[in-house]
Amino acid sequence: MSVSMLSTFVKPMHPEGRKFVAIAAAIAVVLFLVWEPLGWLAAGVTVWVYYFFRDPERVVPERPDVMVSPADGLVSLLEPAVPPAELGLGEAEMVRISVFMSVFNCHVNRLPSAGTIDVVAYRPGKFLNASLDKASEDNERNGLAVTLPDGRRYGVVQIAGLVARRILCWTKNGDTLERGERFGLIRFGSRLDIYLPPGATPLVRIGQTMVAGETVIADLTAESGEG
């Protein structure tokens, strides 16, 4: 299947963005009537709002033994950390990979590895800069605990940022999702934390650019000897 030039630049938009684009477009029309330069400025903002809510298709790796990034952005942290208590993943440290999303990244979130959702836990909190380490503990967040087909469990946590004010998650307890399947979205700048399951080996470095659903972040079998 060929890729058209138009599809390279024009991406589908997530339904969540429609009302925001409509509001921005309406403001642009009014400002054009008031003063044309302001109208063009508002038109640029409208295009940015559309761009923020873009939801492009992604090519998910076929290998069953890898995890993919749940978000577009940059790896900001890679370290051992205790997962949030509400996920029920225990008190032992797990390898945590944090992906920071700027306001220019696509903000649709995708599941790192196929499994069954056994916990969905929301916790209110602050709106600190999502690139800070303490954002994992202090900021508003929504976490998923996922059980892999082999019984191991991992966590994915959506964390609100400095300008993010809405975490969306349309996945519920008992759902079974495929690797790379959409599970949520965060508006306007934020972060995703991934707590790797036992035996998984991270395959990324701090500062590396991630593409949700495509970039491999960990090998599930490197230390376990499976597969």
Side-chain angles (χ1 to χ4, degrees):
M1 182 175 64
S2 61
V3 178
S4 69
M5 183 65 72
L6 182 62
S7 65
T8 301
F9 297 100
V10 180
K11 303 297 182 183
M13 182 177 64
H14 191 276
E16 177 68 17
R18 292 171 183 168
K19 57 186 175 183
F20 293 97
V21 171
I23 291 171
I27 292 174
V29 170
V30 172
L31 291 179
F32 266 119
L33 297 175
V34 174
W35 189 41
E36 186 172 334
L38 281 179
W40 283 113
L41 180 61
V45 172
T46 303
V47 171
W48 173 80
V49 172
Y50 155 76
Y51 184 72
F52 176 86
F53 283 102
R54 67 195 184 280
D55 185 16
E57 294 298 325
R58 295 289 163 82
V59 180
V60 181
E62 295 183 359
R63 288 178 55 191
D65 57 350
V66 297
M67 302 179 75
V68 297
S69 177
D72 287 12
L74 295 177
V75 176
S76 59
L77 292 171
L78 175 55
E79 60 188 5
V82 177
E86 63 266 21
L87 296 184
L89 294 173
E91 298 180 359
E93 290 185 334
M94 303 172 75
V95 176
R96 179 177 69 189
I97 300 173
S98 298
V99 179
F100 174 73
M101 297 179 285
S102 77
V103 294
F104 299 105
N105 290 122
C106 173
H107 277 55
V108 175
N109 305 141
R110 296 171 179 264
L111 201 69
S113 191
T116 300
I117 311 300
D118 50 48
V119 175
V120 179
Y122 170 79
R123 201 205 75 166
K126 300 177 181 179
F127 297 95
L128 304 175
N129 188 328
S131 65
L132 300 177
D133 187 16
K134 61 182 179 179
S136 293
E137 298 180 6
D138 296 339
N139 280 24
E140 175 180 312
R141 64 180 184 243
N142 183 76
L144 306 179
V146 186
T147 299
L148 297 169
D150 64 11
R152 287 181 291 171
R153 301 175 74 219
Y154 72 91
V156 184
V157 183
Q158 300 169 287
I159 301 173
L162 188 63
V163 294
R165 287 296 184 271
R166 183 76 185 278
I167 296 175
L168 300 177
C169 179
W170 45 80
T171 298
K172 61 184 184 301
N173 279 359
D175 287 350
T176 298
L177 276 63
E178 297 299 320
R179 180 175 57 249
E181 190 171 346
R182 301 166 178 87
F183 73 86
L185 178 150
I186 315 178
R187 293 180 190 161
F188 307 117
S190 42
R191 171 172 142 194
L192 266 285
D193 282 353
I194 310 97
Y195 294 87
L196 302 184
T201 300
L203 299 177
V204 295
R205 295 182 178 181
I206 292 177
Q208 185 174 344
T209 299
M210 298 288 101
V211 177
E214 293 190 358
T215 305
V216 173
I217 62 169
D219 187 333
L220 288 170
T221 63
E223 294 183 0
S224 64
E226 297 175 13

